[in-house]
Amino acid sequence: MRKIKDIRPLKFEDGYLFVINQLKLPKELEWLKLQSLEDYEKAIKDMVVRGAPLIGIVGAYGFFQGIKDGISEVEVYERLRKTRPTAVNLFWALDRMLNFYRKYKEEKDILEKLLKEAQRIELEDYHANRMIGGYGEVLIPNKANVLTHCNTGALATAGWGTALGIIRSAWENDKDITVFVDETRPYLQGSRLTAWELLQEGIPHYIITDSSAGFLISKGKVDVIVVGADRITLNGDTANKIGTYTLSVLAKHHNIPFYVAAPTSTFDLTTKSGEDIPIEERDQKEVKNCHCCQVAPEESKALNYSFDVTPAENITAIITEKGLIERPNEEKIKKFFGRK
Ligand code: MRU
């Protein structure tokens, strides 16, 4: 078995949460101390921290911080909910923290209890990822070329990762894989963050421009695609980083497996289909500038949808910490979650 580094994107020390500033990677590994509710709101909005599970975890710690600072639970909850709209893990974690707070608010040690609940959410996510890695890695053949999109690794979660966690687990289990990393315009989660993580682990990889995927797939160079998710609806439709839908169509056309890896906290069973998922639109500046360098005429307008929706019918299986949902649809998802 190969040795894996234990990268963690957050740590709670001396009463405060410290997070890796993902805007500075790969050039610099900077830890930022979050000291107020505003710091948490800004960190999530500006994508200092990002990735569906991680923003849920940071939101949970933010809830603790806001209550500690004497802000009402409704204000803390509403302010954190407004930071980013698509990843459902944020709402899931905030609902859990609010319900927990309301249950125990009269108790003397409520702050300590709230902190422990946030830490539990973090720990549960880490263990969920290890399980996802285990269930997923058996689907990756030895010597496979694996294509992935965005960053779904330790940096997007409590640690290990979801789709990238499966790649980590395959590598840990001595599989000689090669990873194609979509650079993931415009924020470059692939080239800046996924490549950085793969380098730490010594996993062979090539960064590719997003538009190279089709060519590589058509040449038979990709054996399997594995991606993460920001929200999975009742029928299995999946919102993930913009460009994911395109990959799913390519996978279907070329008959290669297309796996979605996500913890159960990424499911939104109250939303029937992908049609109803709110898609974040970010500032056009992110498209027209690449790391402070202008790459488009100032006068041109740009569209910056952060996510797209992959229909369930394009997904070979969803890999969760509780097992697989193959060829997902509403009936199978209801059964998986024990719903009628
Ligand atoms: O805009 P981001 O970087 O927060 O988007 C991240 C993604 O789309 C990931 O694929 C998704 O959150 C899964 S992370 C385990």
Side-chain angles (χ1 to χ4, degrees):
M1 255 187 149
R2 292 188 179 113
K3 258 203 134 12
I4 293 288
K5 284 201 181 145
D6 194 15
I7 301 167
R8 304 283 179 119
L10 73 174
K11 55 186 179 193
F12 192 83
E13 272 175 20
D14 307 325
Y16 291 99
L17 188 72
F18 291 75
V19 294
I20 292 182
N21 181 356
Q22 301 194 22
L23 297 169
K24 294 270 173 86
L25 282 173
K27 272 198 166 167
E28 200 186 321
L29 183 59
E30 178 190 78
W31 286 91
L32 276 184
K33 184 177 180 181
L34 305 183
Q35 305 187 65
S36 63
L37 184 59
E38 290 80 40
D39 284 354
Y40 278 85
E41 288 174 277
K42 211 168 156 357
I44 299 173
K45 258 190 207 144
D46 295 350
M47 294 172 71
V48 163
V49 289
R50 31 65 49 202
L54 183 61
I55 62 181
I57 297 160
V58 172
Y61 279 101
F63 188 91
F64 155 77
Q65 180 73 51
I67 299 294
K68 188 174 151 209
D69 293 347
I71 305 169
S72 80
E73 82 255 34
V74 175
E75 184 179 339
V76 174
Y77 176 81
E78 291 301 338
R79 279 171 59 181
L80 287 166
R81 272 180 76 93
K82 281 193 195 119
T83 50
R84 291 193 75 190
T86 304
V88 82
N89 311 60
L90 176 66
F91 310 115
W92 169 86
L94 289 174
D95 285 348
R96 179 162 154 181
M97 292 300 282
L98 183 69
N99 290 335
F100 185 87
Y101 176 71
R102 289 190 166 153
K103 193 163 166 200
Y104 296 108
K105 67 196 249 187
E106 302 309 336
E107 302 202 4
K108 268 207 277 9
D109 61 346
I110 178 63
L111 283 179
E112 209 175 296
K113 279 197 161 66
L114 271 181
L115 175 61
K116 287 225 167 86
E117 186 65 357
Q119 288 171 325
R120 256 192 301 273
I121 289 176
E122 178 187 345
L123 207 67
E124 283 170 17
D125 184 65
Y126 181 80
H127 289 293
N129 292 335
R130 297 303 305 256
M131 293 300 290
I132 291 171
Y135 283 122
E137 80 87 19
V138 295
L139 303 167
I140 310 287
N142 191 23
K143 301 203 184 330
N145 290 332
V146 187
L147 189 142
T148 190
H149 193 61
C150 195
N151 172 267
T152 59
L155 291 169
T157 61
W160 203 262
T162 58
L164 196 54
I166 290 173
I167 290 169
R168 255 199 184 88
S169 296
W171 182 251
E172 184 185 41
N173 283 345
D174 295 322
K175 288 186 182 163
D176 289 321
I177 48 173
T178 300
V179 185
F180 292 121
V181 181
D182 276 358
E183 65 174 347
T184 320
R185 278 275 289 151
Y187 185 89
L188 305 176
Q189 289 94 329
S191 56
R192 293 191 307 107
L193 309 176
T194 300
W196 181 80
E197 285 196 40
L198 290 169
L199 258 186
Q200 309 295 309
E201 307 293 6
I203 304 177
H205 62 281
Y206 295 94
I207 297 163
I208 57 169
T209 55
D210 297 332
S211 41
S212 303
F215 178 69
L216 285 172
I217 293 168
S218 74
K219 293 283 170 208
K221 296 213 184 294
V222 176
D223 300 302
V224 43
I225 299 178
V226 52
V227 298
D230 285 81
R231 192 186 294 226
I232 303 171
T233 57
L234 188 61
N235 69 347
D237 289 352
T238 295
N240 191 49
K241 181 53 55 196
I242 193 87
T244 303
Y245 167 66
T246 320
L247 292 174
S248 79
V249 174
L250 282 166
K252 200 171 184 182
H253 183 76
H254 291 280
N255 203 21
I256 58 174
F258 182 88
Y259 296 116
V260 169
T264 47
S265 55
T266 305
F267 283 77
D268 173 7
L269 303 181
T270 62
T271 301
K272 258 192 110 49
S273 81
E275 282 289 300
D276 304 317
I277 299 177
I279 298 293
E280 176 178 18
E281 269 189 81
R282 295 184 63 84
D283 198 315
Q284 53 170 322
K285 277 195 210 128
E286 291 181 357
V287 174
K288 292 180 356 187
N289 297 276
C290 200
H291 282 254
C292 302
C293 172
Q294 190 178 329
V295 291
E298 189 57 50
E299 302 73 26
S300 294
K301 289 188 197 152
L303 292 174
N304 189 8
Y305 292 105
S306 206
F307 302 96
D308 58 23
V309 176
T310 297
E313 70 205 37
N314 288 5
I315 299 171
T316 309
I318 302 175
I319 305 162
T320 81
E321 76 277 21
K322 299 191 170 139
L324 263 63
I325 310 171
E326 287 177 74
R327 294 274 164 221
N329 59 30
E330 181 170 334
E331 199 191 326
K332 289 185 191 168
I333 289 176
K334 276 188 178 155
K335 193 163 171 228
F336 186 80
F337 284 96
R339 303 262 173 118
K340 291 240 161 103

